[in-house]
Short mmCIF file of all heavy atoms in Angstrom, two decimals:
data_model
loop_
_atom_site.label_atom_id
_atom_site.label_comp_id
_atom_site.label_asym_id
_atom_site.label_seq_id
_atom_site.Cartn_x
_atom_site.Cartn_y
_atom_site.Cartn_z
N LYS A 192 63.03 59.11 136.05
CA LYS A 192 63.39 60.13 137.04
C LYS A 192 64.74 59.79 137.69
O LYS A 192 65.53 60.71 137.97
CB LYS A 192 62.31 60.21 138.12
CG LYS A 192 60.99 60.73 137.62
CD LYS A 192 59.95 60.68 138.71
CE LYS A 192 58.57 61.02 138.18
NZ LYS A 192 57.53 60.78 139.19
N LEU A 193 65.00 58.52 137.91
CA LEU A 193 66.29 58.11 138.47
C LEU A 193 67.41 58.38 137.47
O LEU A 193 68.48 58.86 137.84
CB LEU A 193 66.26 56.64 138.88
CG LEU A 193 67.58 56.08 139.43
CD1 LEU A 193 68.10 56.92 140.59
CD2 LEU A 193 67.39 54.63 139.83
N LEU A 194 67.16 58.11 136.21
CA LEU A 194 68.18 58.40 135.19
C LEU A 194 68.47 59.90 135.16
O LEU A 194 69.62 60.31 134.99
CB LEU A 194 67.75 57.89 133.83
CG LEU A 194 67.47 56.38 133.75
CD1 LEU A 194 67.11 55.98 132.33
CD2 LEU A 194 68.64 55.55 134.28
N ASP A 195 67.44 60.72 135.31
CA ASP A 195 67.63 62.18 135.40
C ASP A 195 68.48 62.55 136.61
O ASP A 195 69.34 63.44 136.54
CB ASP A 195 66.30 62.92 135.45
CG ASP A 195 65.53 62.88 134.14
OD1 ASP A 195 66.13 62.59 133.07
OD2 ASP A 195 64.31 63.14 134.17
N ALA A 196 68.24 61.87 137.73
CA ALA A 196 69.02 62.16 138.94
C ALA A 196 70.50 61.81 138.74
O ALA A 196 71.38 62.50 139.25
CB ALA A 196 68.46 61.38 140.14
N LEU A 197 70.77 60.75 137.96
CA LEU A 197 72.15 60.39 137.65
C LEU A 197 72.79 61.50 136.80
O LEU A 197 73.95 61.87 137.03
CB LEU A 197 72.21 59.04 136.94
CG LEU A 197 71.81 57.83 137.77
CD1 LEU A 197 71.70 56.59 136.88
CD2 LEU A 197 72.77 57.60 138.92
N THR A 198 72.03 61.98 135.85
CA THR A 198 72.53 63.09 135.02
C THR A 198 72.80 64.33 135.88
O THR A 198 73.80 65.03 135.70
CB THR A 198 71.52 63.42 133.89
OG1 THR A 198 71.34 62.24 133.10
CG2 THR A 198 72.00 64.53 133.01
N ASP A 199 71.91 64.58 136.84
CA ASP A 199 72.04 65.75 137.70
C ASP A 199 73.34 65.74 138.52
O ASP A 199 73.83 66.81 138.91
CB ASP A 199 70.84 65.89 138.63
CG ASP A 199 69.56 66.28 137.91
OD1 ASP A 199 69.63 66.70 136.75
OD2 ASP A 199 68.48 66.10 138.52
N VAL A 200 73.87 64.54 138.85
CA VAL A 200 75.12 64.49 139.60
C VAL A 200 76.34 64.41 138.71
O VAL A 200 77.45 64.24 139.18
CB VAL A 200 75.14 63.34 140.67
CG1 VAL A 200 74.08 63.57 141.71
CG2 VAL A 200 75.08 61.99 140.02
N GLY A 201 76.11 64.52 137.39
CA GLY A 201 77.25 64.65 136.48
C GLY A 201 77.54 63.50 135.55
O GLY A 201 78.50 63.56 134.79
N PHE A 202 76.73 62.47 135.58
CA PHE A 202 76.96 61.37 134.63
C PHE A 202 76.52 61.80 133.23
O PHE A 202 75.49 62.44 133.05
CB PHE A 202 76.17 60.11 135.03
CG PHE A 202 76.71 59.43 136.26
CD1 PHE A 202 76.03 59.49 137.47
CD2 PHE A 202 77.89 58.70 136.20
CE1 PHE A 202 76.52 58.85 138.59
CE2 PHE A 202 78.40 58.05 137.32
CZ PHE A 202 77.70 58.13 138.53
N SER A 203 77.31 61.44 132.22
CA SER A 203 76.97 61.73 130.81
C SER A 203 75.89 60.78 130.33
O SER A 203 75.60 59.76 130.99
CB SER A 203 78.20 61.58 129.94
OG SER A 203 78.58 60.22 129.83
N ALA A 204 75.33 61.04 129.18
CA ALA A 204 74.31 60.15 128.59
C ALA A 204 74.90 58.76 128.37
O ALA A 204 74.23 57.75 128.65
CB ALA A 204 73.79 60.75 127.29
N ALA A 205 76.13 58.65 127.90
CA ALA A 205 76.76 57.34 127.69
C ALA A 205 76.96 56.63 129.01
O ALA A 205 76.78 55.39 129.10
CB ALA A 205 78.07 57.51 126.94
N GLU A 206 77.34 57.35 130.07
CA GLU A 206 77.53 56.74 131.37
C GLU A 206 76.20 56.27 131.96
O GLU A 206 76.14 55.18 132.56
CB GLU A 206 78.23 57.72 132.32
CG GLU A 206 79.68 57.97 131.93
CD GLU A 206 80.31 59.11 132.71
OE1 GLU A 206 79.60 60.05 133.13
OE2 GLU A 206 81.54 59.06 132.89
N VAL A 207 75.15 57.04 131.78
CA VAL A 207 73.81 56.63 132.26
C VAL A 207 73.38 55.36 131.53
O VAL A 207 72.83 54.43 132.14
CB VAL A 207 72.79 57.76 132.10
CG1 VAL A 207 71.37 57.27 132.36
CG2 VAL A 207 73.12 58.92 133.04
N GLU A 208 73.65 55.26 130.25
CA GLU A 208 73.31 54.05 129.51
C GLU A 208 74.09 52.85 130.04
O GLU A 208 73.54 51.77 130.25
CB GLU A 208 73.62 54.24 128.02
CG GLU A 208 73.24 53.04 127.18
CD GLU A 208 73.44 53.26 125.70
OE1 GLU A 208 73.69 54.39 125.27
OE2 GLU A 208 73.33 52.27 124.96
N ALA A 209 75.38 53.04 130.32
CA ALA A 209 76.18 51.98 130.89
C ALA A 209 75.65 51.55 132.26
O ALA A 209 75.52 50.36 132.55
CB ALA A 209 77.63 52.42 131.00
N ILE A 210 75.31 52.52 133.11
CA ILE A 210 74.80 52.22 134.44
C ILE A 210 73.45 51.54 134.36
O ILE A 210 73.16 50.62 135.11
CB ILE A 210 74.71 53.52 135.27
CG1 ILE A 210 76.13 54.03 135.57
CG2 ILE A 210 73.92 53.31 136.56
CD1 ILE A 210 76.17 55.45 136.14
N SER A 211 72.61 51.95 133.43
CA SER A 211 71.25 51.42 133.38
C SER A 211 71.17 50.01 132.80
O SER A 211 70.26 49.27 133.15
CB SER A 211 70.33 52.37 132.61
OG SER A 211 70.72 52.49 131.28
N TRP A 212 72.12 49.61 131.93
CA TRP A 212 72.07 48.25 131.42
C TRP A 212 73.40 47.72 130.90
O TRP A 212 73.70 46.53 131.01
CB TRP A 212 70.99 48.09 130.34
CG TRP A 212 71.37 48.75 129.02
CD1 TRP A 212 71.13 50.05 128.67
CD2 TRP A 212 72.06 48.15 127.92
NE1 TRP A 212 71.62 50.30 127.42
CE2 TRP A 212 72.20 49.15 126.92
CE3 TRP A 212 72.54 46.89 127.67
CZ2 TRP A 212 72.81 48.93 125.71
CZ3 TRP A 212 73.17 46.66 126.44
CH2 TRP A 212 73.30 47.66 125.49
N GLY A 213 74.24 48.57 130.36
CA GLY A 213 75.46 48.11 129.70
C GLY A 213 76.44 47.43 130.62
O GLY A 213 77.04 46.40 130.25
#
Side-chain angles (χ1 to χ4, degrees):
K192 294 175 188 172
L193 178 54
L194 301 182
D195 289 343
L197 293 172
T198 301
D199 291 345
V200 297
F202 289 107
S203 70
E206 290 171 331
V207 170
E208 182 176 350
I210 291 167
S211 63
W212 72 272

